[in-house]
Amino acid sequence: MSARRRRQTGSSMTEFSASMVIFILFVFCPLINVGILPVRYLIAHGIITEMTHRISLCEKRSDAYNYLKGNQWWTSFLSKCGVGVSNPKLTMIVCGKNVGDRTKFSNASEISPDWLPNGAKGPCVYSVQLTADCALSPMFNAQAGLAGFTKPVTISINSQAQWESLGRD
């Protein structure tokens, strides 16, 4: 009587498919999920840098603050890209001719005459700085978990550009 023997060809296919499922679920998907974060960071940094440059081209400081409040294209574009923007803050940085002469002015503060062009601390270099808190979300979100893997990572992005207008307003 001849005994039936099992064929050996194709027997490893079931083990291979199970290991591929485990590889895709536990290695490949988390790497793609985390791998999207640098892309979203670069998009957010580029958009905030572009917005800072556009603000620096305004004629007046009040126009710059109104431009920041009035133009929401950059926050809506970033939200479509998976980046939530909160707390955008614009400050003016003025550097005088001496090493220690540096100050910051927010929207509500008035610039003293010493820091204006042709003032006592001049010649001065004027810059605008835009700071925003950005929540970079991974590709797949969940309620609980690690930041970056299943919930957004919040970072602060700063961008600075030289002020183009040297008027006294």
Side-chain angles (χ1 to χ4, degrees):
M1 182 164 158
S2 73
R4 288 189 169 184
R5 294 179 48 172
R6 187 173 175 193
R7 289 187 186 177
Q8 295 297 320
T9 59
S11 63
S12 63
M13 186 59 101
T14 57
E15 292 135 7
F16 179 73
S17 65
S19 64
M20 280 305 290
V21 168
I22 290 172
F23 175 75
I24 289 173
L25 288 178
F26 295 108
V27 176
F28 192 68
C29 286
L31 284 178
I32 288 178
N33 201 22
V34 173
I36 198 73
L37 291 177
V39 174
R40 289 186 174 168
Y41 171 77
L42 289 174
I43 291 171
H45 191 271
I47 293 296
I48 289 176
T49 302
E50 174 66 25
M51 188 64 181
T52 306
H53 175 70
R54 289 184 182 190
I55 288 171
S56 71
L57 296 176
C58 292
E59 290 292 324
K60 300 178 187 174
R61 190 167 66 123
S62 59
D63 291 344
Y65 286 103
N66 291 335
Y67 188 81
L68 178 65
K69 289 179 185 176
N71 287 320
Q72 297 300 319
W73 65 267
W74 62 288
T75 55
S76 64
F77 179 76
L78 286 176
S79 67
K80 291 176 186 174
C81 292
V83 178
V85 179
S86 62
N87 195 21
K89 187 172 77 171
L90 183 66
T91 56
M92 177 174 273
I93 300 172
V94 182
C95 297
K97 62 183 173 184
N98 295 329
V99 176
D101 289 343
R102 183 172 188 228
T103 186
K104 293 183 178 182
F105 296 101
S106 64
N107 186 18
S109 63
E110 186 174 317
I111 298 178
S112 65
D114 292 341
W115 294 101
L116 291 175
N118 301 326
K121 304 246 184 192
C124 296
V125 176
Y126 301 91
S127 302
V128 290
Q129 182 180 25
L130 179 62
T131 304
D133 295 329
C134 297
L136 306 173
S137 60
M139 189 175 288
F140 309 113
N141 288 327
Q143 296 292 24
L146 296 172
F149 284 100
T150 55
K151 66 180 184 178
V153 176
T154 303
I155 60 172
S156 179
I157 297 179
N158 298 325
S159 180
Q160 187 171 339
Q162 297 298 321
W163 184 257
E164 301 288 335
S165 176
L166 294 177
R168 294 185 64 87
D169 52 342

